[in-house]
């Protein structure tokens, strides 16, 4: 019949169309698969290349070629010298290759902007690394807590991430295996005291010597206020003051005046930072309500960790 003839004709045309489309579909599917495999291989190549140089337009990795596992060959546990780099900011960027220059990589308060802080941070990291390289029996601790309410992250690890991204670890050295972080300190006094406990946690003993890296204008605060407050021997303490160049906007005179009014004078009357303006600063710098674990991990330090003065703690109550 006419209707059956029409149906058979339509079926023949459909089969002919399918035969023509099949090679096209096969080509498209094969091309997509090829592009996918090529993308995987390219991605793998970018990752390897990135691991070798941290450069290129591809994927950026945290860990550079001169990094190594923590405590490799017990390098950290055998340390006798504590090197503390006091933190001043946290990272807010995933692109840290220029963290030593670009302010947008860091969460900066208004008074920190335009003052060369990225350059200062890089210089402090570099000074800590160089000091650790000179002493193979040292543990380098980057100290600083979660101080910024607008970003989740601690100052101590931020410095390590930046050092990794900027590939700052020296070749042929195990410095990277002797790096730890301290993530609870809210001011310079706690940078020092809490880092001693971190050293104890890693090595099982207290350091024989302490070196602190920060700005030159903070030298007096550490040498004549903090170290004596914890009864640390003066002949076992050293300070490395490092400033960014004036071309970055850093003003040493202005910074020194601010140091005197906002830190040195308050610590002179409140050596342990337990009350007044110093306590207020600690509360403001602890937006996530973190509680340091050090009374548990360093029970020998419980007295000094809880001492509030105003008199200095007796030497018989500190473990060093």
């Amino acid at each position: 019949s006419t209707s059956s003839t029409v149906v058979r004709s339509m079926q023949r045309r459909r089969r002919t169309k399918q035969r023509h489309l099949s090679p096209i579909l096969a080509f498209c599917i094969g091309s997509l698969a090829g592009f996918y495999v090529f993308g995987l291989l390219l991605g793998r190549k970018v990752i390897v290349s990135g691991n070798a140089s941290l450069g290129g337009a591809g994927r950026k990795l945290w860990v550079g070629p001169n990094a190594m596992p923590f405590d490799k060959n017990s390098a950290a546990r055998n340390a006798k010298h504590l090197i503390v780099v006091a933190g001043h900011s946290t990272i807010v960027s995933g692109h840290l290759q220029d963290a030593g220059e670009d302010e947008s990589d860091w969460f900066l308060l208004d008074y920190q902007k335009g003052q060369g802080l990225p350059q200062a941070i890089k210089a402090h990291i570099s000074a800590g690394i160089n000091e650790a390289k000179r002493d193979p029996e040292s543990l380098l601790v980057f100290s600083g807590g979660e101080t910024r309410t607008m970003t989740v992250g601690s100052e101590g690890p931020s410095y390590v991430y930046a050092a990794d991204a900027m590939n700052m670890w020296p070749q042929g050295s195990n410095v990277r295996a002797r790096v730890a972080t301290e993530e609870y300190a809210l001011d310079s006094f706690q940078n020092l005291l809490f880092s001693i406990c971190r050293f104890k946690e890693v090595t099982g003993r207290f350091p024989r010597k302490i070196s602190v890296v920060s700005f030159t204008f903070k030298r007096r605060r550490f040498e004549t206020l903090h170290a004596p407050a914890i009864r640390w021997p003066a002949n076992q303490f050293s300070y490395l003051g490092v400033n960014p160049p004036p071309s970055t906007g850093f003003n040493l005179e202005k910074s020194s005046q601010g140091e005197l009014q906002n830190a040195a004078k308050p610590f002179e009357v409140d050596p342990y930072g337990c009350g007044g303006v110093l306590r207020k600063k600690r509360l403001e710098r602890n937006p996530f309500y973190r509680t340091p674990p050090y009374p548990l991990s360093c029970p020998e330090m419980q007295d000094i960790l809880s001492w509030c003065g105003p008199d200095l703690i007796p030497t018989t109550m500190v473990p060093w």
Side-chain angles (χ1 to χ4, degrees):
S1 66
T2 303
S3 60
S4 61
T5 302
V6 171
V7 170
R8 286 195 297 272
S9 176
M10 292 175 65
Q11 289 175 341
R12 284 196 299 271
R13 285 198 297 271
R14 187 181 297 114
R15 287 194 294 270
T16 300
K17 185 176 182 181
Q18 288 175 344
R19 285 196 299 270
H20 285 296
L21 287 175
S22 295
I24 297 175
L25 289 173
F27 173 79
C28 291
I29 293 172
S31 298
L32 289 173
F35 280 123
Y36 177 75
V37 173
F38 178 74
L40 290 177
L41 293 175
L42 180 61
R44 184 176 181 181
K45 181 178 180 181
V46 168
I47 291 174
V48 173
S49 175
N51 190 45
S53 65
L54 290 175
R59 187 174 178 180
K60 303 296 191 299
L61 303 184
W62 286 121
V63 182
N66 297 320
M68 60 181 60
F70 175 69
D71 199 32
K72 184 177 181 180
N73 299 323
S74 301
R77 281 178 291 171
N78 290 331
K80 300 178 177 64
H81 175 194
L82 167 62
I83 303 170
V84 181
V85 175
H88 296 92
S89 186
T90 58
I91 57 172
V92 293
S93 168
H95 183 278
L96 298 177
Q97 284 72 21
D98 58 355
E101 301 174 359
D102 190 353
E103 287 193 344
S104 65
D105 290 333
W106 302 93
F107 189 98
L108 302 183
L109 301 175
D110 289 341
Y111 78 90
Q112 293 177 314
K113 296 176 181 178
Q115 302 297 315
L117 194 61
Q119 292 85 349
I121 289 174
K122 184 176 182 180
H124 292 173
I125 295 172
S126 181
I129 290 174
N130 291 336
E131 184 70 6
K133 184 179 178 182
R134 281 191 288 268
D135 185 357
E137 292 188 324
S138 63
L139 178 69
L140 176 57
V141 175
F142 292 94
S143 171
E146 282 186 281
T147 58
R148 302 293 187 255
T149 186
M150 296 295 291
T151 178
V152 176
S154 301
E155 294 175 357
S158 291
Y159 278 43
V160 179
Y161 294 148
D164 281 338
M166 292 186 287
N167 196 21
M168 296 180 67
W169 309 110
Q171 295 183 2
S173 172
N174 69 346
V175 169
R176 185 62 175 79
R178 295 184 279 114
V179 170
T181 60
E182 188 289 308
E183 302 181 46
Y184 291 90
L186 304 175
D187 58 30
S188 55
F189 177 81
Q190 292 184 346
N191 286 140
L192 175 60
L193 186 62
F194 291 177
S195 293
I196 294 175
C197 184
R198 281 296 291 130
F199 186 96
K200 175 68 161 51
E201 289 176 341
V202 172
T203 67
R205 59 185 173 274
F206 294 108
R208 296 181 182 177
K209 177 185 177 182
I210 298 177
S211 300
V212 173
V213 178
S214 192
F215 292 96
T216 58
F217 60 84
K218 294 188 178 184
R219 178 184 298 274
R220 177 176 174 269
R221 192 200 308 188
F222 278 96
E223 288 186 340
T224 68
L225 297 173
H226 296 339
I230 67 170
R231 299 297 194 173
W232 189 262
N235 62 354
Q236 298 174 22
F237 184 87
S238 63
Y239 187 85
L240 289 75
V242 182
N243 298 329
S247 59
T248 64
F250 175 73
N251 187 319
L252 178 58
E253 182 179 358
K254 180 180 178 181
S255 297
S256 299
Q257 292 174 351
E259 163 71 10
L260 179 62
Q261 297 298 323
N262 301 320
K265 285 187 175 180
F267 272 115
E268 286 175 358
V269 298
D270 185 10
Y272 302 95
C274 294
V277 64
L278 295 176
R279 181 176 182 274
K280 181 181 178 182
K281 282 184 179 181
R282 287 179 182 172
L283 292 174
E284 292 173 346
R285 293 174 180 175
N286 191 19
F288 301 101
Y289 307 104
R290 302 296 300 274
T291 300
Y294 304 127
L296 295 176
S297 60
C298 296
E300 307 93 332
M301 294 178 60
Q302 285 186 359
D303 288 331
I304 182 61
L305 286 168
S306 61
W307 191 266
C308 276
D311 295 330
L312 297 186
I313 188 171
T315 56
T316 56
M317 298 180 65
V318 295
W320 37 81

